[in-house]
């Protein structure tokens, strides 16, 4: 067993864990943060993405023994709330980015890290970023996801409001 102190969605958590558990198992099974999904479980699809210390992280393959103490982790639950959704979440709805919705949390996490670091990406940069992150969607195709990310970026830059999206 190992002890980890983590800041998850802004809340400090002190956890006693099996070191072989993955971050996704801990988030989903112990903390009931089920927004990160287990798709492939092998690090290929990005459904399990969370942000750890500012980086997109595949939680399904990230063993707790490797998670740095005092790591700051953001799951999809920490990106926005039902009453105050993040612009990316609003754009995801407005552009019809979800059919089954299974990939949405992972894509939104990837999009957030991109826009936090590059507030004015080109469409090519958004497409290249999702390709680099290897997020997979098997329902919608990728164009709505790029459209939504571009629109969310405009909201985050203050050029339009979330209400303009819907
Ligand atoms: Fe983690 Fe697919 S579930 S990458």
């Amino acid at each position: 067993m190992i002890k980890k102190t983590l800041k998850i969605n802004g809340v400090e958590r002190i956890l006693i864990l099996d070191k072989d558990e993955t971050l996704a198992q801990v988030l989903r099974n112990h903390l009931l943060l089920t927004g990160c999904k287990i798709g492939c479980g092998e690090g290929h699809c990005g459904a399990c993405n969370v942000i750890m210390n500012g980086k997109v992280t595949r939680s399904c393959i990230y063993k707790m023994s490797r998670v740095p103490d005092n790591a700051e982790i953001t799951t999809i639950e920490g990106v926005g709330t039902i009453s105050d959704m993040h612009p990316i979440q609003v754009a995801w709805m407005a552009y019809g980015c979800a059919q089954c919705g299974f990939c949405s949390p992972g894509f939104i996490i990837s999009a957030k890290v991109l826009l936090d670091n590059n507030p004015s990406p080109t469409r090519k940069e958004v497409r290249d970023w999702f390709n680099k992150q290897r997020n997979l969607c098997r329902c919608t195709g990728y164009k709505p996801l790029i459209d939504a990310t571009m629109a969310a970026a405009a909201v985050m830059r203050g050029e339009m409001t979330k209400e303009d999206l819907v």
Side-chain angles (χ1 to χ4, degrees), residues 114 118-132 146 149-150:
L114 170 66
N118 179 1
S120 301
T122 64
R123 289 185 67 83
K124 180 176 184 318
E125 285 174 324
V126 174
R127 190 171 53 243
D128 289 349
W129 175 254
F130 286 144
N131 283 341
K132 181 177 168 206
I146 296 168
T149 304
M150 296 298 287

Side-chain angles (χ1 to χ4, degrees), residues 24 36-49 57-61 102 133-134 136:
C36 76
K37 304 301 182 200
I38 308 290
C40 65
E42 297 180 346
H44 300 306
C45 73
C48 64
N49 281 350
T57 301
R58 297 285 207 252
S59 64
C60 74
I61 53 171
F102 202 78
Q133 297 305 319
R134 294 180 288 117
L136 297 180

